[in-house]
mmCIF file of all heavy atoms in Angstrom:
data_model
loop_
_atom_site.group_PDB
_atom_site.id
_atom_site.type_symbol
_atom_site.label_atom_id
_atom_site.label_comp_id
_atom_site.label_asym_id
_atom_site.label_seq_id
_atom_site.Cartn_x
_atom_site.Cartn_y
_atom_site.Cartn_z
ATOM 1 N N THR A 140 52.541 -43.600 38.041
ATOM 2 C CA THR A 140 53.919 -44.047 37.810
ATOM 3 C C THR A 140 54.304 -43.915 36.339
ATOM 4 O O THR A 140 55.467 -44.099 35.998
ATOM 5 C CB THR A 140 54.092 -45.534 38.209
ATOM 6 O OG1 THR A 140 53.128 -46.299 37.473
ATOM 7 C CG2 THR A 140 53.900 -45.745 39.697
ATOM 8 N N GLU A 141 53.326 -43.655 35.480
ATOM 9 C CA GLU A 141 53.595 -43.713 34.031
ATOM 10 C C GLU A 141 53.426 -42.350 33.375
ATOM 11 O O GLU A 141 52.592 -41.550 33.796
ATOM 12 C CB GLU A 141 52.625 -44.696 33.354
ATOM 13 C CG GLU A 141 52.566 -46.090 33.973
ATOM 14 C CD GLU A 141 53.910 -46.768 34.086
ATOM 15 O OE1 GLU A 141 54.711 -46.674 33.136
ATOM 16 O OE2 GLU A 141 54.174 -47.385 35.136
ATOM 17 N N THR A 142 54.189 -42.128 32.328
ATOM 18 C CA THR A 142 53.986 -40.940 31.494
ATOM 19 C C THR A 142 52.818 -41.240 30.539
ATOM 20 O O THR A 142 52.473 -42.415 30.341
ATOM 21 C CB THR A 142 55.243 -40.671 30.630
ATOM 22 O OG1 THR A 142 55.447 -41.822 29.802
ATOM 23 C CG2 THR A 142 56.480 -40.418 31.487
ATOM 24 N N PRO A 143 52.217 -40.205 29.935
ATOM 25 C CA PRO A 143 51.143 -40.467 28.962
ATOM 26 C C PRO A 143 51.619 -41.422 27.854
ATOM 27 O O PRO A 143 50.868 -42.293 27.411
ATOM 28 C CB PRO A 143 50.825 -39.079 28.395
ATOM 29 C CG PRO A 143 51.222 -38.129 29.485
ATOM 30 C CD PRO A 143 52.397 -38.761 30.179
ATOM 31 N N GLU A 144 52.911 -41.298 27.438
ATOM 32 C CA GLU A 144 53.425 -42.185 26.369
ATOM 33 C C GLU A 144 53.466 -43.631 26.859
ATOM 34 O O GLU A 144 53.105 -44.555 26.145
ATOM 35 C CB GLU A 144 54.847 -41.787 25.936
ATOM 36 C CG GLU A 144 54.986 -40.436 25.268
ATOM 37 C CD GLU A 144 54.859 -39.273 26.254
ATOM 38 O OE1 GLU A 144 55.386 -39.395 27.381
ATOM 39 O OE2 GLU A 144 54.201 -38.268 25.916
ATOM 40 N N SER A 145 53.943 -43.813 28.088
ATOM 41 C CA SER A 145 54.075 -45.208 28.544
ATOM 42 C C SER A 145 52.703 -45.806 28.827
ATOM 43 O O SER A 145 52.497 -47.011 28.656
ATOM 44 C CB SER A 145 55.060 -45.340 29.704
ATOM 45 O OG SER A 145 54.429 -45.365 30.931
ATOM 46 N N ILE A 146 51.734 -44.983 29.214
ATOM 47 C CA ILE A 146 50.355 -45.503 29.363
ATOM 48 C C ILE A 146 49.845 -45.951 27.985
ATOM 49 O O ILE A 146 49.296 -47.049 27.842
ATOM 50 C CB ILE A 146 49.412 -44.444 29.990
ATOM 51 C CG1 ILE A 146 49.792 -44.234 31.461
ATOM 52 C CG2 ILE A 146 47.946 -44.880 29.863
ATOM 53 C CD1 ILE A 146 48.924 -43.259 32.223
ATOM 54 N N ALA A 147 50.088 -45.114 26.963
ATOM 55 C CA ALA A 147 49.614 -45.463 25.611
ATOM 56 C C ALA A 147 50.254 -46.769 25.138
ATOM 57 O O ALA A 147 49.593 -47.639 24.558
ATOM 58 C CB ALA A 147 49.928 -44.327 24.645
ATOM 59 N N ARG A 148 51.572 -46.917 25.416
ATOM 60 C CA ARG A 148 52.287 -48.131 25.017
ATOM 61 C C ARG A 148 51.687 -49.367 25.703
ATOM 62 O O ARG A 148 51.490 -50.416 25.100
ATOM 63 C CB ARG A 148 53.754 -48.001 25.455
ATOM 64 C CG ARG A 148 54.719 -48.071 24.320
ATOM 65 C CD ARG A 148 56.150 -48.012 24.780
ATOM 66 N NE ARG A 148 56.404 -47.028 25.816
ATOM 67 C CZ ARG A 148 57.404 -47.121 26.703
ATOM 68 N NH1 ARG A 148 58.210 -48.158 26.684
ATOM 69 N NH2 ARG A 148 57.603 -46.190 27.605
ATOM 70 N N ARG A 149 51.403 -49.212 26.994
ATOM 71 C CA ARG A 149 50.866 -50.336 27.757
ATOM 72 C C ARG A 149 49.453 -50.705 27.278
ATOM 73 O O ARG A 149 49.131 -51.886 27.121
ATOM 74 C CB ARG A 149 50.892 -49.995 29.264
ATOM 75 C CG ARG A 149 52.299 -50.088 29.827
ATOM 76 C CD ARG A 149 52.514 -49.403 31.152
ATOM 77 N NE ARG A 149 53.950 -49.365 31.445
ATOM 78 C CZ ARG A 149 54.578 -50.145 32.327
ATOM 79 N NH1 ARG A 149 53.894 -50.984 33.056
ATOM 80 N NH2 ARG A 149 55.882 -50.068 32.486
ATOM 81 N N LEU A 150 48.638 -49.679 27.023
ATOM 82 C CA LEU A 150 47.269 -49.958 26.558
ATOM 83 C C LEU A 150 47.285 -50.552 25.156
ATOM 84 O O LEU A 150 46.440 -51.380 24.812
ATOM 85 C CB LEU A 150 46.424 -48.677 26.572
ATOM 86 C CG LEU A 150 46.127 -48.116 27.966
ATOM 87 C CD1 LEU A 150 45.379 -46.793 27.860
ATOM 88 C CD2 LEU A 150 45.321 -49.104 28.798
ATOM 89 N N GLY A 151 48.290 -50.139 24.366
ATOM 90 C CA GLY A 151 48.419 -50.645 23.001
ATOM 91 C C GLY A 151 48.596 -52.157 22.971
ATOM 92 O O GLY A 151 48.241 -52.815 21.988
ATOM 93 N N LYS A 152 49.152 -52.719 24.024
ATOM 94 C CA LYS A 152 49.375 -54.172 24.063
ATOM 95 C C LYS A 152 48.203 -54.920 24.694
ATOM 96 O O LYS A 152 48.070 -56.139 24.535
ATOM 97 C CB LYS A 152 50.620 -54.483 24.912
ATOM 98 C CG LYS A 152 51.923 -54.087 24.279
ATOM 99 C CD LYS A 152 53.081 -54.563 25.107
ATOM 100 C CE LYS A 152 53.386 -56.024 24.848
ATOM 101 N NZ LYS A 152 54.641 -56.450 25.479
ATOM 102 N N ALA A 153 47.373 -54.169 25.444
ATOM 103 C CA ALA A 153 46.375 -54.833 26.302
ATOM 104 C C ALA A 153 45.382 -55.688 25.519
ATOM 105 O O ALA A 153 45.073 -56.818 25.916
ATOM 106 C CB ALA A 153 45.644 -53.797 27.142
ATOM 107 N N GLU A 154 44.892 -55.137 24.403
ATOM 108 C CA GLU A 154 43.873 -55.830 23.607
ATOM 109 C C GLU A 154 44.331 -57.263 23.260
ATOM 110 O O GLU A 154 43.601 -58.228 23.482
ATOM 111 C CB GLU A 154 43.687 -55.004 22.325
ATOM 112 C CG GLU A 154 42.326 -54.953 21.690
ATOM 113 C CD GLU A 154 41.223 -54.307 22.508
ATOM 114 O OE1 GLU A 154 41.131 -53.057 22.559
ATOM 115 O OE2 GLU A 154 40.441 -55.098 23.066
ATOM 116 N N ASN A 155 45.549 -57.379 22.723
ATOM 117 C CA ASN A 155 46.078 -58.706 22.366
ATOM 118 C C ASN A 155 46.337 -59.563 23.582
ATOM 119 O O ASN A 155 46.140 -60.783 23.563
ATOM 120 C CB ASN A 155 47.383 -58.562 21.567
ATOM 121 C CG ASN A 155 47.081 -58.416 20.094
ATOM 122 O OD1 ASN A 155 46.037 -58.880 19.625
ATOM 123 N ND2 ASN A 155 47.988 -57.762 19.375
ATOM 124 N N GLU A 156 46.797 -58.932 24.659
ATOM 125 C CA GLU A 156 47.077 -59.698 25.879
ATOM 126 C C GLU A 156 45.798 -60.326 26.439
ATOM 127 O O GLU A 156 45.810 -61.458 26.925
ATOM 128 C CB GLU A 156 47.730 -58.782 26.925
ATOM 129 C CG GLU A 156 49.151 -58.385 26.529
ATOM 130 C CD GLU A 156 49.794 -57.396 27.489
ATOM 131 O OE1 GLU A 156 49.076 -56.557 28.067
ATOM 132 O OE2 GLU A 156 51.011 -57.446 27.650
ATOM 133 N N LEU A 157 44.685 -59.579 26.332
ATOM 134 C CA LEU A 157 43.412 -60.110 26.861
ATOM 135 C C LEU A 157 43.008 -61.390 26.130
ATOM 136 O O LEU A 157 42.373 -62.269 26.702
ATOM 137 C CB LEU A 157 42.300 -59.052 26.742
ATOM 138 C CG LEU A 157 42.460 -57.842 27.669
ATOM 139 C CD1 LEU A 157 41.403 -56.786 27.357
ATOM 140 C CD2 LEU A 157 42.370 -58.256 29.134
ATOM 141 N N LYS A 158 43.409 -61.498 24.863
ATOM 142 C CA LYS A 158 43.035 -62.680 24.067
ATOM 143 C C LYS A 158 43.749 -63.950 24.551
ATOM 144 O O LYS A 158 43.396 -65.046 24.140
ATOM 145 C CB LYS A 158 43.378 -62.438 22.592
ATOM 146 C CG LYS A 158 42.477 -61.407 21.958
ATOM 147 C CD LYS A 158 42.784 -61.270 20.475
ATOM 148 C CE LYS A 158 42.096 -60.040 19.899
ATOM 149 N NZ LYS A 158 42.882 -59.407 18.849
ATOM 150 N N THR A 159 44.792 -63.795 25.386
ATOM 151 C CA THR A 159 45.549 -64.986 25.808
ATOM 152 C C THR A 159 45.002 -65.593 27.100
ATOM 153 O O THR A 159 45.518 -66.600 27.580
ATOM 154 C CB THR A 159 47.044 -64.651 26.036
ATOM 155 O OG1 THR A 159 47.130 -63.774 27.181
ATOM 156 C CG2 THR A 159 47.674 -63.967 24.846
ATOM 157 N N ALA A 160 43.950 -64.966 27.662
ATOM 158 C CA ALA A 160 43.471 -65.387 28.992
ATOM 159 C C ALA A 160 43.167 -66.891 29.062
ATOM 160 O O ALA A 160 43.456 -67.537 30.068
ATOM 161 C CB ALA A 160 42.243 -64.581 29.374
ATOM 162 N N ASN A 161 42.615 -67.433 27.966
ATOM 163 C CA ASN A 161 42.208 -68.847 28.030
ATOM 164 C C ASN A 161 43.388 -69.827 28.017
ATOM 165 O O ASN A 161 43.199 -71.030 28.108
ATOM 166 C CB ASN A 161 41.203 -69.179 26.913
ATOM 167 C CG ASN A 161 41.800 -68.924 25.552
ATOM 168 O OD1 ASN A 161 42.992 -68.608 25.446
ATOM 169 N ND2 ASN A 161 40.993 -69.055 24.506
ATOM 170 N N ARG A 162 44.617 -69.311 27.915
ATOM 171 C CA ARG A 162 45.777 -70.211 27.979
ATOM 172 C C ARG A 162 46.258 -70.397 29.420
ATOM 173 O O ARG A 162 47.221 -71.114 29.680
ATOM 174 C CB ARG A 162 46.908 -69.660 27.099
ATOM 175 C CG ARG A 162 46.442 -69.584 25.646
ATOM 176 C CD ARG A 162 47.474 -69.021 24.733
ATOM 177 N NE ARG A 162 48.642 -69.860 24.607
ATOM 178 C CZ ARG A 162 49.708 -69.554 23.873
ATOM 179 N NH1 ARG A 162 49.693 -68.429 23.183
ATOM 180 N NH2 ARG A 162 50.750 -70.338 23.820
ATOM 181 N N PHE A 163 45.574 -69.745 30.352
ATOM 182 C CA PHE A 163 45.958 -69.836 31.768
ATOM 183 C C PHE A 163 45.067 -70.848 32.500
ATOM 184 O O PHE A 163 43.970 -71.166 32.044
ATOM 185 C CB PHE A 163 45.860 -68.438 32.406
ATOM 186 C CG PHE A 163 46.971 -67.527 31.947
ATOM 187 C CD1 PHE A 163 46.968 -66.979 30.668
ATOM 188 C CD2 PHE A 163 48.062 -67.268 32.774
ATOM 189 C CE1 PHE A 163 48.014 -66.174 30.230
ATOM 190 C CE2 PHE A 163 49.108 -66.473 32.332
ATOM 191 C CZ PHE A 163 49.083 -65.921 31.069
ATOM 192 N N ASP A 164 45.571 -71.347 33.649
ATOM 193 C CA ASP A 164 44.800 -72.339 34.409
ATOM 194 C C ASP A 164 43.553 -71.718 35.012
ATOM 195 O O ASP A 164 42.516 -72.360 35.117
ATOM 196 C CB ASP A 164 45.660 -72.913 35.550
ATOM 197 C CG ASP A 164 46.894 -73.630 35.025
ATOM 198 O OD1 ASP A 164 46.745 -74.392 34.048
ATOM 199 O OD2 ASP A 164 47.989 -73.427 35.586
ATOM 200 N N LYS A 165 43.671 -70.470 35.463
ATOM 201 C CA LYS A 165 42.548 -69.794 36.126
ATOM 202 C C LYS A 165 42.497 -68.345 35.667
ATOM 203 O O LYS A 165 43.539 -67.738 35.379
ATOM 204 C CB LYS A 165 42.749 -69.770 37.645
ATOM 205 C CG LYS A 165 42.879 -71.134 38.289
ATOM 206 C CD LYS A 165 41.528 -71.699 38.639
ATOM 207 C CE LYS A 165 41.697 -73.045 39.330
ATOM 208 N NZ LYS A 165 40.477 -73.758 39.528
ATOM 209 N N ILE A 166 41.272 -67.804 35.648
ATOM 210 C CA ILE A 166 41.084 -66.385 35.343
ATOM 211 C C ILE A 166 40.359 -65.750 36.529
ATOM 212 O O ILE A 166 39.336 -66.281 36.988
ATOM 213 C CB ILE A 166 40.228 -66.191 34.065
ATOM 214 C CG1 ILE A 166 40.910 -66.847 32.855
ATOM 215 C CG2 ILE A 166 39.968 -64.712 33.804
ATOM 216 C CD1 ILE A 166 40.072 -66.845 31.578
ATOM 217 N N ILE A 167 40.905 -64.662 37.032
ATOM 218 C CA ILE A 167 40.230 -63.936 38.121
ATOM 219 C C ILE A 167 39.844 -62.563 37.590
ATOM 220 O O ILE A 167 40.702 -61.809 37.105
ATOM 221 C CB ILE A 167 41.151 -63.769 39.349
ATOM 222 C CG1 ILE A 167 41.511 -65.141 39.933
ATOM 223 C CG2 ILE A 167 40.497 -62.873 40.407
ATOM 224 C CD1 ILE A 167 42.471 -65.077 41.121
ATOM 225 N N LEU A 168 38.546 -62.242 37.702
ATOM 226 C CA LEU A 168 38.094 -60.899 37.307
ATOM 227 C C LEU A 168 38.384 -59.937 38.455
ATOM 228 O O LEU A 168 37.912 -60.161 39.577
ATOM 229 C CB LEU A 168 36.596 -60.946 36.991
ATOM 230 C CG LEU A 168 35.956 -59.593 36.684
ATOM 231 C CD1 LEU A 168 36.507 -59.015 35.384
ATOM 232 C CD2 LEU A 168 34.427 -59.723 36.598
ATOM 233 N N ASN A 169 39.174 -58.898 38.168
ATOM 234 C CA ASN A 169 39.476 -57.918 39.219
ATOM 235 C C ASN A 169 38.608 -56.670 39.029
ATOM 236 O O ASN A 169 39.060 -55.652 38.539
ATOM 237 C CB ASN A 169 40.963 -57.561 39.212
ATOM 238 C CG ASN A 169 41.316 -56.582 40.329
ATOM 239 O OD1 ASN A 169 40.558 -56.421 41.287
ATOM 240 N ND2 ASN A 169 42.459 -55.925 40.207
ATOM 241 N N ASP A 170 37.328 -56.832 39.410
ATOM 242 C CA ASP A 170 36.457 -55.646 39.448
ATOM 243 C C ASP A 170 36.433 -55.128 40.882
ATOM 244 O O ASP A 170 36.969 -54.073 41.182
ATOM 245 C CB ASP A 170 35.059 -55.945 38.885
ATOM 246 C CG ASP A 170 34.441 -57.218 39.450
ATOM 247 O OD1 ASP A 170 35.090 -57.912 40.268
ATOM 248 O OD2 ASP A 170 33.300 -57.533 39.091
ATOM 249 N N SER A 171 35.827 -55.918 41.771
ATOM 250 C CA SER A 171 35.934 -55.569 43.188
ATOM 251 C C SER A 171 37.254 -56.137 43.691
ATOM 252 O O SER A 171 37.478 -57.354 43.631
ATOM 253 C CB SER A 171 34.755 -56.169 43.955
ATOM 254 O OG SER A 171 35.167 -56.516 45.259
ATOM 255 N N LEU A 172 38.132 -55.270 44.187
ATOM 256 C CA LEU A 172 39.453 -55.750 44.614
ATOM 257 C C LEU A 172 39.331 -56.743 45.771
ATOM 258 O O LEU A 172 40.004 -57.778 45.772
ATOM 259 C CB LEU A 172 40.353 -54.568 45.004
ATOM 260 C CG LEU A 172 41.739 -54.943 45.491
ATOM 261 C CD1 LEU A 172 42.531 -55.721 44.445
ATOM 262 C CD2 LEU A 172 42.539 -53.688 45.903
ATOM 263 N N SER A 173 38.472 -56.466 46.744
ATOM 264 C CA SER A 173 38.395 -57.354 47.909
ATOM 265 C C SER A 173 37.944 -58.757 47.487
ATOM 266 O O SER A 173 38.457 -59.758 47.970
ATOM 267 C CB SER A 173 37.474 -56.780 48.991
ATOM 268 O OG SER A 173 36.202 -56.594 48.440
ATOM 269 N N ARG A 174 37.022 -58.825 46.514
ATOM 270 C CA ARG A 174 36.563 -60.133 46.046
ATOM 271 C C ARG A 174 37.689 -60.848 45.278
ATOM 272 O O ARG A 174 37.911 -62.028 45.445
ATOM 273 C CB ARG A 174 35.317 -59.960 45.166
ATOM 274 C CG ARG A 174 34.432 -61.185 45.093
ATOM 275 C CD ARG A 174 33.586 -61.183 43.830
ATOM 276 N NE ARG A 174 34.335 -60.731 42.661
ATOM 277 C CZ ARG A 174 35.256 -61.451 42.037
ATOM 278 N NH1 ARG A 174 35.526 -62.664 42.444
ATOM 279 N NH2 ARG A 174 35.913 -60.948 41.010
ATOM 280 N N ALA A 175 38.417 -60.076 44.478
ATOM 281 C CA ALA A 175 39.513 -60.676 43.705
ATOM 282 C C ALA A 175 40.606 -61.202 44.646
ATOM 283 O O ALA A 175 41.176 -62.270 44.404
ATOM 284 C CB ALA A 175 40.087 -59.649 42.737
ATOM 285 N N LEU A 176 40.885 -60.466 45.719
ATOM 286 C CA LEU A 176 41.914 -60.910 46.668
ATOM 287 C C LEU A 176 41.491 -62.220 47.325
ATOM 288 O O LEU A 176 42.296 -63.144 47.471
ATOM 289 C CB LEU A 176 42.153 -59.844 47.756
ATOM 290 C CG LEU A 176 42.766 -58.516 47.302
ATOM 291 C CD1 LEU A 176 42.900 -57.557 48.481
ATOM 292 C CD2 LEU A 176 44.126 -58.719 46.641
ATOM 293 N N GLN A 177 40.214 -62.279 47.689
ATOM 294 C CA GLN A 177 39.683 -63.497 48.325
ATOM 295 C C GLN A 177 39.807 -64.693 47.396
ATOM 296 O O GLN A 177 40.243 -65.777 47.788
ATOM 297 C CB GLN A 177 38.200 -63.287 48.602
ATOM 298 C CG GLN A 177 37.876 -63.204 50.069
ATOM 299 C CD GLN A 177 36.364 -63.006 50.239
ATOM 300 O OE1 GLN A 177 35.581 -63.120 49.287
ATOM 301 N NE2 GLN A 177 35.976 -62.696 51.446
ATOM 302 N N GLU A 178 39.406 -64.473 46.140
ATOM 303 C CA GLU A 178 39.434 -65.558 45.155
ATOM 304 C C GLU A 178 40.865 -66.020 44.919
ATOM 305 O O GLU A 178 41.145 -67.222 44.851
ATOM 306 C CB GLU A 178 38.792 -65.073 43.847
ATOM 307 C CG GLU A 178 38.487 -66.204 42.891
ATOM 308 C CD GLU A 178 37.810 -65.712 41.612
ATOM 309 O OE1 GLU A 178 37.249 -64.605 41.604
ATOM 310 O OE2 GLU A 178 37.881 -66.457 40.609
ATOM 311 N N ALA A 179 41.795 -65.060 44.817
ATOM 312 C CA ALA A 179 43.196 -65.405 44.575
ATOM 313 C C ALA A 179 43.734 -66.240 45.742
ATOM 314 O O ALA A 179 44.432 -67.245 45.530
ATOM 315 C CB ALA A 179 44.021 -64.128 44.411
ATOM 316 N N GLU A 180 43.400 -65.828 46.943
ATOM 317 C CA GLU A 180 43.862 -66.541 48.137
ATOM 318 C C GLU A 180 43.365 -67.993 48.113
ATOM 319 O O GLU A 180 44.127 -68.930 48.359
ATOM 320 C CB GLU A 180 43.289 -65.803 49.345
ATOM 321 C CG GLU A 180 44.196 -65.828 50.550
ATOM 322 C CD GLU A 180 43.585 -65.018 51.696
ATOM 323 O OE1 GLU A 180 43.216 -63.838 51.480
ATOM 324 O OE2 GLU A 180 43.485 -65.583 52.788
ATOM 325 N N LEU A 181 42.104 -68.150 47.789
ATOM 326 C CA LEU A 181 41.488 -69.474 47.760
ATOM 327 C C LEU A 181 42.156 -70.372 46.724
ATOM 328 O O LEU A 181 42.519 -71.524 46.996
ATOM 329 C CB LEU A 181 40.003 -69.280 47.407
ATOM 330 C CG LEU A 181 39.048 -70.285 47.992
ATOM 331 C CD1 LEU A 181 38.854 -69.988 49.479
ATOM 332 C CD2 LEU A 181 37.690 -70.183 47.272
ATOM 333 N N ILE A 182 42.337 -69.840 45.524
ATOM 334 C CA ILE A 182 42.907 -70.610 44.408
ATOM 335 C C ILE A 182 44.339 -71.043 44.740
ATOM 336 O O ILE A 182 44.733 -72.182 44.504
ATOM 337 C CB ILE A 182 42.886 -69.754 43.112
ATOM 338 C CG1 ILE A 182 41.468 -69.647 42.568
ATOM 339 C CG2 ILE A 182 43.818 -70.320 42.054
ATOM 340 C CD1 ILE A 182 41.338 -68.671 41.406
ATOM 341 N N VAL A 183 45.123 -70.129 45.302
ATOM 342 C CA VAL A 183 46.532 -70.457 45.577
ATOM 343 C C VAL A 183 46.621 -71.458 46.730
ATOM 344 O O VAL A 183 47.389 -72.426 46.667
ATOM 345 C CB VAL A 183 47.350 -69.170 45.868
ATOM 346 C CG1 VAL A 183 48.746 -69.510 46.345
ATOM 347 C CG2 VAL A 183 47.413 -68.301 44.610
ATOM 348 N N LYS A 184 45.803 -71.260 47.769
ATOM 349 C CA LYS A 184 45.841 -72.200 48.906
ATOM 350 C C LYS A 184 45.465 -73.606 48.440
ATOM 351 O O LYS A 184 46.074 -74.586 48.849
ATOM 352 C CB LYS A 184 44.921 -71.722 50.017
ATOM 353 C CG LYS A 184 45.533 -70.588 50.837
ATOM 354 C CD LYS A 184 44.639 -70.190 51.978
ATOM 355 C CE LYS A 184 45.366 -69.173 52.870
ATOM 356 N NZ LYS A 184 44.412 -68.436 53.740
ATOM 357 N N GLU A 185 44.470 -73.677 47.570
ATOM 358 C CA GLU A 185 44.035 -74.978 47.052
ATOM 359 C C GLU A 185 45.177 -75.646 46.281
ATOM 360 O O GLU A 185 45.432 -76.838 46.438
ATOM 361 C CB GLU A 185 42.832 -74.749 46.137
ATOM 362 C CG GLU A 185 42.120 -76.011 45.731
ATOM 363 C CD GLU A 185 40.985 -75.678 44.764
ATOM 364 O OE1 GLU A 185 41.252 -75.044 43.716
ATOM 365 O OE2 GLU A 185 39.842 -76.038 45.057
ATOM 366 N N PHE A 186 45.894 -74.870 45.482
ATOM 367 C CA PHE A 186 47.007 -75.408 44.685
ATOM 368 C C PHE A 186 48.153 -75.898 45.582
ATOM 369 O O PHE A 186 48.831 -76.873 45.261
ATOM 370 C CB PHE A 186 47.519 -74.311 43.730
ATOM 371 C CG PHE A 186 48.752 -74.675 42.951
ATOM 372 C CD1 PHE A 186 48.710 -75.644 41.956
ATOM 373 C CD2 PHE A 186 49.966 -74.043 43.206
ATOM 374 C CE1 PHE A 186 49.848 -75.974 41.227
ATOM 375 C CE2 PHE A 186 51.107 -74.377 42.486
ATOM 376 C CZ PHE A 186 51.044 -75.341 41.492
#
Side-chain angles (χ1 to χ4, degrees):
T140 56
E141 307 306 318
T142 60
E144 295 74 39
S145 97
I146 290 182
R148 240 183 317 154
R149 285 163 190 255
L150 292 176
K152 289 186 81 171
E154 213 64 80
N155 273 334
E156 290 176 327
L157 291 173
K158 290 184 192 146
T159 67
N161 60 6
R162 299 178 66 182
F163 287 74
D164 298 316
K165 301 273 182 189
I166 300 174
I167 297 178
L168 175 66
N169 182 18
D170 48 359
S171 147
L172 179 59
S173 58
R174 204 204 41 74
L176 294 178
Q177 248 181 10
E178 193 178 340
E180 213 177 308
L181 211 75
I182 286 172
V183 172
K184 282 183 173 162
E185 191 183 56
F186 174 69

